[in-house]
Amino acid sequence: MKNIMILTMVLCLFLCCGHIVDAKNLTFGQLPMPQYNITTTPGPAGLTGLYAMSVGFVNSVFVPFTDVTDILLDMLDATGNGILANAIKLLTLNLIYTVCMAFGVLFIVLVVLGGFFMCCCRSCWGNCGGEYVQSLARAESKWRAFMTAALTIFSILMIVPCVFVFLTNDWLGVITKTAPDTLKLSLDNLLVYADNVPRQINYTTGEFSQVNNTIISQLDSIDTTLGIPIRDRFRVMAKPTITQLNFVDEVLNTTVTAGNESKALVNTLKNGSSSLQAELGTVTTNIKADLGSDTNCNAVAACQLLVTNVDSDLQLNTNIDNINVTDLDAVINDLAEFDAQAEIVHINDELDDIPQIVANDSGNVTQDMTQELKDIELELKSMSEAISPKMLDNLHDGVRDFQSTIDTVYTDYVSEYEWWRSIVCLVAAGVIMLICVFYLLGILMGHRSYNPHPEERGKTSNAGGKLLMIGAGLSLISAWVFMIVVMAMFSVGGHAERYGCQAVRTPYEGFEFADKVLEKQNFEIKLYDVVTSCEEDQALFLTLSLDKTYDLEEIAKNITRDVQNSTGKLKDMTINLTSIEVYNTKTEQDLNDMKATGVENMDLLKIGRDAESGLNSVDLVAYSQKLKDAATAVNSCTPPTCTNATATAAKLNGFADDIDAIESSRKEPMAQQVTDLNARLTIIVNRTTNINATVDETKRVLSEFDAAIQVVGPVQVSEQLQVMGDDMEQTVDTYLVWSMKQIRDNIGACRSVYDLVYSQWVTTGCTEFVNTLGGLWFSLGWCLFFIMPSAIFALKLAKFYVRGETVGSDGEEFMEDVEMHEYTVLPQQKSYHTARYR
C-alpha cells in the first residue's frame, strides 16, 4: 500500500505542476511501451473432449461456488464445533459428492470382501468352491454369444479410457517439464511491466520539462512574445496617421517641386526675354538703316508706316523682367522645413521601442514566473523519483527468489516424484490394458477351439478360459486400489476445478469471495476490481480504484484555480507607455509654420499672367505679315514713282524671314515655358488651396494617435495580456486533458499483465494441470465403471471354455442351478447331487 500511495502522489503531482504550458505549439507523444517475452505452448491434441466430460461431471457433482461462500465465511469466523457444523453443512450441500464418496467406500469394501471370499473358496482344501460342470444344453445355448459380445464391448470401452490414461500421463510429464520455465517467464514479464511504469511516469514528467523549457523561453523573450504583438497592434492604429503624413508628404513634395520648377521657369523666361529683345533690337536697327532712306519704301505708304512704327511694334514690355518670386521662394522654403517622412520614421521608431519597454516593465513578473516553473520542475523531478530504484530492486529480488523457489521445488520435489507418478500411471494403465488383453485373448482362444462338450474341450479353449479367469482376478485385485486413487484424485481435482479454477475465471467468483474476506481485514483494494480492470486493459489508476480516493476532476479544478492565480500576474501587469511620444512640440511648430506662410492668400497665378502678357506684348507673326504685305506693295510700285522696286521688296521679305526665325526660335519656346509655368503654378495653387485644413487634419490625427497610445494603449496592452493569460489557461486545460487521459487510460495499463502473467498462471495451473488431472481420474473412473461387470461376464464366460464334465439332460435343471451357485453351494449338496445323477 505504501508503494501504491507514493505512485499516486507522483501521478497527481505532475498533474498539479502542469500549468503555464503552451500546448497549442507542442505535441505530446506516446508513452513508452514495454517489450514482453511471449511464448506459446501447444495444447494437448485430442484431449479437449475428455476434459469437457470431466469438467461436466465435476459441475454436476459439486454445487456452484456462490452457494458455498456464505458457509465458508461462517467457517472462517467459527471455532471448535462451529467449524464442524459448517463442514457438515458443506457435505450436506454437496450431497452428490458425499454419495459418490460413500459409493466409493462401499465399492472398496465389497470388492475386497468379494475377492477375499472368492480366493478362499477357490483355494480351500478339496475345491470347496465347486467343480466345472456344464450341461450340453447350457453349452449350446445363446448365453455364450451374449456374454462374449458383452465382454468384448466392455473391454473395448475400457481400452478407450486406458488410452486416455496414457495420453494424460504423457501430457502431465510435458506440463511438469515446461511449467517452471513458463511460470518464470511470466514473472519476467511482470518485472518488465513493473519497470515500465516508472518510465511512463518519467516520460509524462519529461513532457512537462519540454513544456517548461518552452514557456520559460517565451517568458525570457517576452519582448517578442508580448511586445511585438502590442507593437503590431499600435502599427494598425497608426495607419490613419501614417496615411495622413504620407498625404502631407506628397502635397509638400509636389508643391516644393512645382515651386522650384516655377522659379527655374521664371528665370528662364527672364533670360529668354532679354535675348528676344536683343534680337528684336537688331532687326529694328537694320530696318531703320536699310529702309529709312530707301526711296521706294518712302514712296509706298505701307512700307513707310512700318519704318515709322518699328520701335513700338518690336518692343517688349517689362512685365517678365519685373516678375517677383520672393514670396514663392519663401513659401517653398517654409514648406520644405517640414519632413513628413522623418515624422513617419519617428513614429515607427517610437513603436519599435515598445518590445523593449515591455521587457523592462515585465522583468520582475517574468522572473517570478520563471523561478516558479523551475521550482515546480525540480519538485516534480524529485517526486517522480519516489519510486526509487531500490523499490524496483526489491521487487526484482523477490521475483528472483520466487523463481529460485520454483526451480528448487521442481528439482528437489517435483522431478523426484514425477518419476513415481509416471510409473504409477503407467502401471495403472498397464494393468487395465493387461486385463483387457486377457479378456480379448481369452475370448479369441476360447472361441477358436470351442467345443460344447466340456470334457472334449482342447487346450486352447481351456487356456482361453483360464485367461478370462486371470483377467477377472486382476480386476478384483486392482479395482479397489484404483477406486482409492480415483477418489483421492477426484476429491483434489474436483474441488480444484470447481472451487479453484472456475472461481478464478470469469465471472471471478473466487475474487469476490476473497474481497469479502479481506474486507474484514480492512484491505482497501478489491481483487475483483483489479482483475476485471486488467482484463479491460485499464490503467493503474483505475485498476487500483484510486479514483475513489483521488478526485481528478477536483484536482483539475484546483489546478485551474492555481493557474488563474499565476496568469493573473500577467493580466494585472502594467506596461508604462508614457515615454512613447509621436507628437511633440517641434512637430507642432513645423506644422504651424506651414500655416504661417499665407500661401492660401497669395495670387501665385499672377506670375503666369505677367509672363504671358509680357511675351504677348509683341506680335511677331502679325509684324512679319505686315512686312510681307509691304513687300508686295513695293513690288507693285512702277516707275517713275519707284525705281528698282524689286530690291526694296526683297529687303522687306528678308526682314519678314528674320522675324519668323525669331518667332520660331525664341518666342515659341518661351510661350511653351509660360504654359509650363502656369501648369506648375496651378499645381501649387491646387495643392496649397486647403493647406491650412491639411495642417489641421495632420495635427488632429497626430494628436489623437499620441493620445491613443497613452489612453487606449494600456487597454490594448491589457487585452494582449488577457489573451496571453487566456492562452496559458487554455493550454493548461489541454495539457490536463492529455495528462488525465494518460492516468486514466495509459499509465500502467495492465492487460499485458492479465494476458502474460495472470492468464498464464491460470492456464498452467488449471487448463493444463488441473484439467489433465481431471482427465486422468475421469479415465480411471471410466475404467472402474466397466471393470466389475466385465469381471462377472469373464467368470461366467470362462465356464464355456475351460475343460469340465458334462451332466445328463434329466439332471439338467438342477445342475444349471448348481452352476449358477458354484461359488456358494455347500460341498455336501454338491456330492449328493453328483451321486444322484451319476
Side-chain angles (χ1 to χ4, degrees):
M1 288 297 296
K2 180 179 179 181
N3 295 341
I4 294 172
M5 293 301 106
I6 293 175
L7 176 62
T8 304
M9 286 191 295
V10 173
L11 295 178
C12 295
L13 176 64
F14 82 77
L15 272 177
C16 298
C17 296
H19 59 290
I20 316 178
V21 180
D22 190 3
K24 295 184 296 182
N25 298 326
L26 295 174
T27 56
F28 306 112
Q30 298 295 325
L31 295 179
M33 302 305 293
Q35 298 296 324
Y36 295 104
N37 297 316
I38 301 176
T39 182
T40 56
T41 302
L47 295 179
T48 54
L50 177 65
Y51 295 164
M53 289 189 290
S54 67
V55 172
F57 183 77
V58 168
N59 291 339
S60 64
V61 171
F62 295 94
V63 297
F65 185 76
T66 53
D67 293 347
V68 301
T69 52
D70 292 337
I71 299 176
L72 292 177
L73 289 173
D74 292 340
M75 184 178 291
L76 291 174
D77 295 334
T79 57
N81 294 331
I83 296 177
L84 180 60
N86 285 302
I88 294 174
K89 288 182 182 180
L90 287 176
L91 292 176
T92 304
L93 191 61
N94 284 300
L95 182 61
I96 300 177
Y97 169 72
T98 305
V99 172
C100 289
M101 291 297 102
F103 174 79
V105 173
L106 183 61
F107 179 89
I108 294 170
V109 173
L110 292 179
V111 169
V112 172
L113 290 177
F116 175 76
F117 288 126
M118 186 191 74
C119 291
C120 290
C121 292
R122 282 299 178 185
S123 61
C124 66
W125 184 258
N127 291 327
C128 60
E131 297 179 353
Y132 284 103
V133 294
Q134 191 176 40
S135 67
L136 186 60
R138 176 75 173 181
E140 293 177 347
S141 67
K142 300 300 182 180
W143 282 105
R144 183 180 67 86
F146 168 73
M147 287 184 285
T148 299
L151 184 58
T152 301
I153 293 173
F154 285 172
S155 298
I156 294 173
L157 290 176
M158 286 193 296
I159 289 175
V160 173
C162 185
V163 173
F164 285 149
V165 172
F166 281 112
L167 292 176
T168 52
N169 176 63
D170 180 67
W171 184 241
L172 274 176
V174 174
I175 294 172
T176 305
K177 292 179 181 178
T178 59
D181 292 335
T182 302
L183 297 180
K184 288 192 296 183
L185 181 61
S186 68
L187 293 175
D188 288 336
N189 288 327
L190 177 62
L191 292 178
V192 172
Y193 169 82
D195 290 340
N196 189 65
V197 171
R199 283 198 294 268
Q200 291 180 333
I201 296 175
N202 291 334
Y203 177 82
T204 307
T205 57
E207 288 296 280
F208 175 79
S209 297
Q210 176 189 357
V211 169
N212 190 25
N213 293 335
T214 301
I215 294 304
I216 290 177
S217 175
Q218 292 176 349
L219 292 175
D220 290 341
S221 58
I222 195 170
D223 56 336
T224 301
T225 57
L226 181 62
I228 289 180
I230 295 175
R231 181 204 64 187
D232 293 341
R233 282 209 171 193
F234 283 139
R235 280 184 173 176
V236 174
M237 293 174 58
K239 283 185 178 180
T241 304
I242 300 298
T243 301
Q244 180 63 25
L245 288 174
N246 283 325
F247 173 73
V248 171
D249 183 66
E250 190 268 339
V251 169
L252 294 180
N253 287 337
T254 303
T255 302
V256 171
T257 300
N260 290 328
E261 291 176 352
S262 296
K263 291 193 301 179
L265 288 172
V266 169
N267 291 331
T268 302
L269 284 172
K270 287 182 176 182
N271 294 331
S273 177
S274 298
S275 299
L276 176 61
Q277 188 60 56
E279 291 182 3
L280 290 176
T282 299
V283 172
T284 299
T285 301
N286 293 332
I287 290 175
K288 289 180 178 180
D290 292 341
L291 297 178
S293 59
D294 190 322
T295 58
N296 292 326
C297 181
N298 292 328
V300 178
C303 180
Q304 186 178 10
L305 183 60
L306 284 175
V307 174
T308 303
N309 296 330
V310 64
D311 290 327
S312 60
D313 289 341
L314 297 180
Q315 179 65 44
L316 291 173
N317 61 28
T318 60
N319 288 349
I320 294 177
D321 294 335
N322 295 331
I323 294 176
N324 187 359
V325 294
T326 302
D327 293 339
L328 176 62
D329 190 49
V331 168
I332 292 174
N333 292 333
D334 290 339
L335 294 179
E337 289 181 359
F338 183 77
D339 191 348
Q341 288 300 321
E343 288 298 321
I344 294 174
V345 172
H346 170 70
I347 292 174
N348 288 327
D349 290 342
E350 289 292 315
L351 296 181
D352 287 337
D353 291 337
I354 291 178
Q356 187 59 45
I357 294 174
V358 170
N360 295 336
D361 292 351
S362 63
N364 294 332
V365 174
T366 57
Q367 288 178 4
D368 292 342
M369 295 181 67
T370 299
Q371 186 60 45
E372 180 182 355
L373 288 172
K374 290 181 178 180
D375 293 340
I376 291 173
E377 183 177 5
L378 292 175
E379 185 178 0
L380 177 61
K381 184 176 181 181
S382 63
M383 290 301 296
S384 65
E385 295 173 353
I387 303 181
S388 63
K390 185 177 180 181
M391 295 169 58
L392 293 177
D393 291 341
N394 293 335
L395 178 61
H396 277 262
D397 292 340
V399 170
R400 298 308 179 202
D401 291 341
F402 188 60
Q403 289 176 329
S404 299
T405 302
I406 293 176
D407 290 332
T408 302
V409 170
Y410 177 76
T411 303
D412 297 343
Y413 300 99
V414 177
S415 59
E416 179 180 354
Y417 294 108
E418 172 63 17
W419 184 85
W420 290 104
R421 180 205 58 77
S422 178
I423 293 300
V424 169
C425 290
L426 290 176
V427 168
V431 170
I432 296 173
M433 185 63 71
L434 184 61
I435 292 172
C436 294
V437 169
F438 283 164
Y439 286 161
L440 295 177
L441 187 59
I443 292 173
L444 180 62
M445 293 175 65
H447 182 74
R448 177 67 179 81
S449 59
Y450 173 71
N451 192 317
H453 299 281
E455 67 276 1
E456 296 178 3
R457 290 170 183 166
K459 294 181 179 180
T460 303
S461 177
N462 186 61
K466 298 296 183 182
L467 287 176
L468 291 175
M469 295 176 65
I470 294 173
L474 284 175
S475 297
L476 294 173
I477 295 173
S478 60
W480 67 275
V481 178
F482 291 159
M483 180 56 75
I484 294 175
V485 174
V486 170
M487 290 175 62
M489 294 176 63
F490 173 67
S491 297
V492 175
H495 285 89
E497 170 63 31
R498 188 61 161 165
Y499 302 130
C501 294
Q502 293 184 21
V504 297
R505 293 194 181 105
T506 305
Y508 309 113
E509 298 166 345
F511 290 110
E512 291 181 328
F513 171 75
D515 288 336
K516 293 178 181 179
V517 176
L518 294 175
E519 186 177 1
K520 297 179 180 180
Q521 308 298 326
N522 297 324
F523 193 76
E524 297 179 357
I525 298 177
K526 301 296 185 182
L527 298 180
Y528 176 83
D529 293 339
V530 171
V531 175
T532 54
S533 297
C534 286
E535 185 180 17
E536 297 172 359
D537 198 24
Q538 292 186 358
L540 199 61
F541 185 80
L542 297 179
T543 300
L544 300 179
S545 300
L546 297 177
D547 55 327
K548 299 178 181 178
T549 305
Y550 300 95
D551 188 352
L552 291 183
E553 298 299 330
E554 185 64 27
I555 293 175
K557 291 180 181 178
N558 294 334
I559 294 172
T560 302
R561 184 177 61 250
D562 293 340
V563 169
Q564 291 174 347
N565 293 335
S566 181
T567 55
K569 297 178 181 179
L570 281 177
K571 295 180 180 180
D572 296 338
M573 187 170 61
T574 301
I575 304 298
N576 186 5
L577 300 178
T578 57
S579 61
I580 298 176
E581 188 180 29
V582 298
Y583 185 51
N584 51 33
T585 304
K586 180 180 181 304
T587 302
E588 183 179 12
Q589 184 62 44
D590 291 341
L591 290 172
N592 290 332
D593 289 344
M594 291 174 60
K595 293 177 65 177
T597 59
V599 67
E600 286 186 339
N601 300 322
M602 293 180 182
D603 186 8
L604 296 178
L605 294 179
K606 181 178 181 302
I607 297 174
R609 292 196 300 272
D610 290 345
E612 187 175 359
S613 64
L615 183 62
N616 293 332
S617 63
V618 175
D619 188 355
L620 297 181
V621 174
Y623 193 79
S624 174
Q625 187 61 43
K626 289 179 181 180
L627 289 173
K628 292 177 181 179
D629 293 340
T632 302
V634 170
N635 199 35
S636 300
C637 182
T638 59
T641 304
C642 298
T643 59
N644 198 12
T646 303
T648 302
K651 290 180 182 179
L652 290 171
N653 287 326
F655 287 128
D657 291 338
D658 292 340
I659 294 298
D660 289 338
I662 293 172
E663 171 73 20
S664 60
S665 63
R666 291 293 181 183
K667 188 177 180 181
E668 288 181 359
M670 291 179 65
Q672 182 60 45
Q673 292 169 0
V674 171
T675 301
D676 293 342
L677 176 61
N678 285 327
R680 300 301 187 277
L681 293 173
T682 301
I683 291 174
I684 295 173
V685 170
N686 291 338
R687 289 295 186 180
T688 59
T689 297
N690 297 317
I691 188 66
N692 290 341
T694 301
V695 170
D696 291 338
E697 177 65 16
T698 304
K699 291 171 63 178
R700 183 188 67 80
V701 295
L702 283 172
S703 178
E704 288 181 355
F705 180 56
D706 189 68
I709 292 176
Q710 306 304 325
V711 177
V712 183
V715 177
Q716 294 290 325
V717 172
S718 178
E719 289 180 356
Q720 282 297 113
L721 292 172
Q722 290 288 333
V723 170
M724 188 174 184
D726 292 340
D727 287 344
M728 289 183 178
E729 293 173 6
Q730 182 181 0
T731 295
V732 171
D733 292 338
T734 303
Y735 185 75
L736 285 176
V737 170
W738 179 82
S739 301
M740 287 192 290
K741 179 176 177 58
Q742 306 313 309
I743 294 177
R744 292 182 182 275
D745 299 337
N746 296 329
I747 294 180
C750 54
R751 175 69 191 196
S752 56
V753 176
Y754 179 86
D755 291 335
L756 301 178
V757 181
Y758 176 78
S759 294
Q760 186 61 62
W761 278 73
V762 172
T763 299
T764 301
C766 295
T767 305
E768 295 180 352
F769 185 76
V770 174
N771 280 359
T772 306
L773 184 63
L776 183 59
W777 64 255
F778 187 82
S779 298
L780 289 175
W782 186 347
C783 293
L784 286 177
F785 184 80
F786 295 104
I787 197 169
M788 293 311 299
S790 62
I792 295 173
F793 280 114
L795 289 175
K796 298 300 293 180
L797 186 59
K799 202 165 190 179
F800 286 89
Y801 295 144
V802 296
R803 188 180 294 115
E805 297 179 0
T806 303
V807 297
S809 59
D810 50 350
E812 201 170 277
E813 180 179 355
F814 179 75
M815 290 309 296
E816 288 301 324
D817 184 61
V818 172
E819 289 174 9
M820 294 300 293
H821 303 283
E822 62 178 327
Y823 299 110
T824 58
V825 172
L826 295 176
Q828 293 83 351
Q829 291 178 316
K830 175 185 179 298
S831 300
Y832 167 76
H833 289 293
T834 301
R836 177 183 174 187
Y837 292 102
R838 185 167 294 166

